[in-house]
């Protein structure tokens, strides 16, 4: 048994996101006029797999208009593009699944920074 996790702290005053990931896909940064990109993070082992040592943490600068898209691996395992807005992701996941129920959790969080 194992579990994956992403943990982030959004500091609006400093306009930063501190991010750690344990076997979990990184969130995407959606920036106006740019391609969606995964935020770099130094991953550590999955949770419950073994004892964790030092957990690396990356800090990213944010700008007004940025959007952060957090999602679980249940989304990518169904082959849906995580760079689209929530409505498009949900529609694509449902279309791809062809009426089949998901076999893993599916969580999607979009955070705006204005």
């Amino acid at each position: 048994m194992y579990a994956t996790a992403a943990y982030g702290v959004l500091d609006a005053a400093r306009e930063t996101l501190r991010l750690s990931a344990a076997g979990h896909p990184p969130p995407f940064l959606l920036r106006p006029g740019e391609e969606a990109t995964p935020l770099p993070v130094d991953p550590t082992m999955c949770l419950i797999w073994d004892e964790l040592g030092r957990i690396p943490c990356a800090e990213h600068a944010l700008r007004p208009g940025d959007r952060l898209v957090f999602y679980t691996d249940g989304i990518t395992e169904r082959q849906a593009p995580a760079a689209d807005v929530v409505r498009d992701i949900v529609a694509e996941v449902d279309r791809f699944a062809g009426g089949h129920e998901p076999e893993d959790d599916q969580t999607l969080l979009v955070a705006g920074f204005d």
Side-chain angles (χ1 to χ4, degrees):
M1 298 265 327
Y2 66 91
T4 63
Y7 179 80
V9 176
L10 179 64
D11 186 332
R14 292 184 54 230
E15 299 180 353
T16 60
L17 172 70
R18 294 193 67 202
L19 181 65
S20 295
H24 202 279
F28 273 80
L29 173 64
L30 303 177
R31 187 163 273 164
E34 297 181 15
E35 291 287 320
T37 57
L39 285 175
V41 62
D42 294 326
T44 190
M45 290 184 61
C46 297
L47 303 174
I48 309 173
W49 189 271
D50 201 357
E51 287 188 37
L52 292 175
R54 182 184 166 279
I55 299 173
C57 184
E59 185 167 288
H60 300 282
L62 300 175
R63 300 190 300 220
D66 284 353
R67 299 291 181 261
L68 301 169
V69 180
F70 292 83
Y71 58 97
T72 63
D73 54 0
I75 296 291
T76 56
E77 288 169 359
R78 290 181 73 187
Q79 304 299 311
D84 293 333
V85 291
V86 174
R87 182 188 71 246
D88 294 341
I89 291 172
V90 172
E92 180 64 23
V93 168
D94 288 343
R95 184 199 63 74
F96 181 82
H100 297 284
E101 290 297 317
E103 295 179 17
D104 198 356
D105 61 312
Q106 297 180 69
T107 303
L108 177 66
L109 169 68
V110 177
F113 185 77
D114 293 316

